[in-house]
Amino acid sequence: MISLNEYLTVAGLLFSIGFLGVLLRKNTLVMFMSLEFMLNAANLALVAFSRYNATADRTMMDGNIFVFFIITVAAAEVAVGLAIIVALFKQKNTVMVNELNTLNG
Amino acid sequence: MVEFLFYLFSSITLLSALMCVTNRQAVNGAMFMIVAFVGMAALFILLEAYFLAAVQVLVYAGAVVVLFLFIIMLLDLDKNKIKFTINIPTYVASLTAFALLTVAVLKIFGTDSTTNQMVTVESKASALINFGRLLFTKYMLVFQVSGFLLLIAMIGVIILSKKTNTLPEEQTND
């Protein structure tokens, strides 16, 4: 049987991949995508915890509901974030973070 | 069988996530993102969270990725491609942080997995009933607030995309 550890490992590896993307890439859009992977990794860990803590007489649904709200907030976040990126592109004509250095000292 | 499906879908998810992050072209990255999110939905099904799997496919693989693709194609990034410069310290720091995080994650395998086994719960339909009942009783306030949050996000996006049209000097320079 698959235990909780396997799911947590997959969630952690997915978080690491998203983390690597945010650090390594210079394209703001790809960084934003990596951010979504990190959120999704947290979702997977929450669902796994919720499922493995369930017993026969008590279905623990709180973790699942938490994930539902996280997905809602993530959808709102993507809409606002992409609107900000488009506004940024209209002003600076670039989305590369190494060119967006107006606040740099 | 469950073991095989778990390893299949988790490897699909992780590989496509890695391809998405490392792909040079953002459009290909968005396509790999769809595969990764569908694989994640399959993992949710293996965890018997059927409703969340459906929401994952609808919201992430549907709405979010389409939004990403729309913006990538709207901005047309390849036209104003800059020369590719490699910043060595950034790369070394990123890869070191990734390696440290990965080692920390793999350490989970060191703990004993015998106590963390799945217990079979009651039928699937009653799980969904429990989900809905909790959502509309215990978490009613959170539900309302998240609806309000979506409204605020909608208004914010409209205002953000309107303001840039009437910005001063910067527009006239181009």
Side-chain angles (χ1 to χ4, degrees):
Chain A
M1 276 296 280
I2 304 291
S3 69
L4 179 59
N5 292 358
E6 273 85 355
Y7 280 104
L8 291 185
T9 310
V10 171
L13 283 175
L14 195 65
F15 189 90
S16 315
I17 290 171
F19 181 68
L20 179 75
V22 170
L23 286 184
L24 210 55
R25 298 303 300 263
K26 293 205 168 61
N27 192 334
T28 320
L29 282 163
V30 180
M31 285 170 79
F32 210 50
M33 285 188 207
S34 312
L35 220 103
E36 291 304 310
F37 280 124
M38 285 158 84
L39 267 175
N40 240 304
N43 281 354
L44 181 64
L46 280 170
V47 174
F49 278 130
S50 158
R51 179 62 189 86
Y52 278 90
N53 278 318
T55 51
D57 56 333
R58 205 163 53 125
T59 53
M60 310 266 279
M61 272 299 173
D62 299 57
N64 285 12
I65 288 175
F66 209 72
V67 170
F68 178 72
F69 288 126
I70 290 177
I71 289 177
T72 311
V73 174
E77 174 234 334
V78 166
V80 175
L82 285 176
I84 289 174
I85 289 177
V86 169
L88 200 66
F89 185 78
K90 277 181 181 169
Q91 270 221 322
K92 304 277 179 188
N93 211 25
T94 181
V95 290
M96 300 294 170
V97 278
N98 50 354
E99 291 180 6
L100 301 170
N101 50 7
T102 317
L103 284 180
N104 188 6
Chain B
M1 187 60 188
V2 178
E3 284 89 346
F4 170 72
L5 285 177
F6 170 78
Y7 286 113
L8 176 72
F9 286 122
S10 53
S11 53
I12 285 175
T13 307
L14 290 176
L15 280 179
S16 356
L18 199 62
M19 290 295 284
C20 170
V21 163
T22 55
N23 209 307
R24 192 61 63 83
Q25 291 203 312
V27 179
N28 292 351
M31 290 303 174
F32 277 115
M33 202 177 170
I34 297 179
V35 180
F37 284 157
V38 171
M40 183 71 87
L43 287 181
F44 281 176
I45 286 175
L46 286 182
L47 283 168
E48 293 173 15
Y50 302 105
F51 178 67
L52 284 180
V55 168
Q56 172 87 8
V57 171
L58 286 176
V59 174
Y60 271 111
V64 167
V65 177
V66 166
L67 211 58
F68 267 111
L69 275 174
F70 184 71
I71 298 299
I72 288 167
M73 290 173 179
L74 182 77
L75 297 190
D76 200 11
L77 298 172
D78 295 327
K79 193 175 280 179
N80 46 352
K81 207 169 188 69
I82 47 146
K83 56 187 191 301
F84 193 68
T85 53
I86 293 179
N87 192 0
I88 301 288
T90 311
Y91 271 64
V92 171
S94 313
L95 290 174
T96 312
F98 177 67
L100 281 176
L101 206 53
T102 309
V103 168
V105 164
L106 289 176
K107 196 82 183 92
I108 297 172
F109 264 131
T111 60
D112 69 319
S113 59
T114 48
T115 53
N116 292 331
Q117 292 302 326
M118 201 188 277
V119 183
T120 38
V121 294
E122 48 191 304
S123 69
K124 278 77 182 168
S126 66
L128 193 54
I129 287 172
N130 282 336
F131 188 91
R133 187 172 290 142
L134 264 182
L135 190 63
F136 287 107
T137 53
K138 190 179 173 186
Y139 295 100
M140 191 59 197
L141 179 67
V142 192
F143 187 72
Q144 302 272 0
V145 169
S146 67
F148 196 66
L149 180 83
L150 286 175
L151 176 70
I152 293 172
M154 193 178 75
I155 295 172
V157 167
I158 291 171
I159 288 175
L160 265 176
S161 41
K162 267 204 150 149
K163 266 270 174 64
T164 48
N165 289 336
T166 55
L167 268 182
E169 315 98 328
E170 204 75 35
Q171 292 291 316
T172 52
N173 287 342
D174 297 335

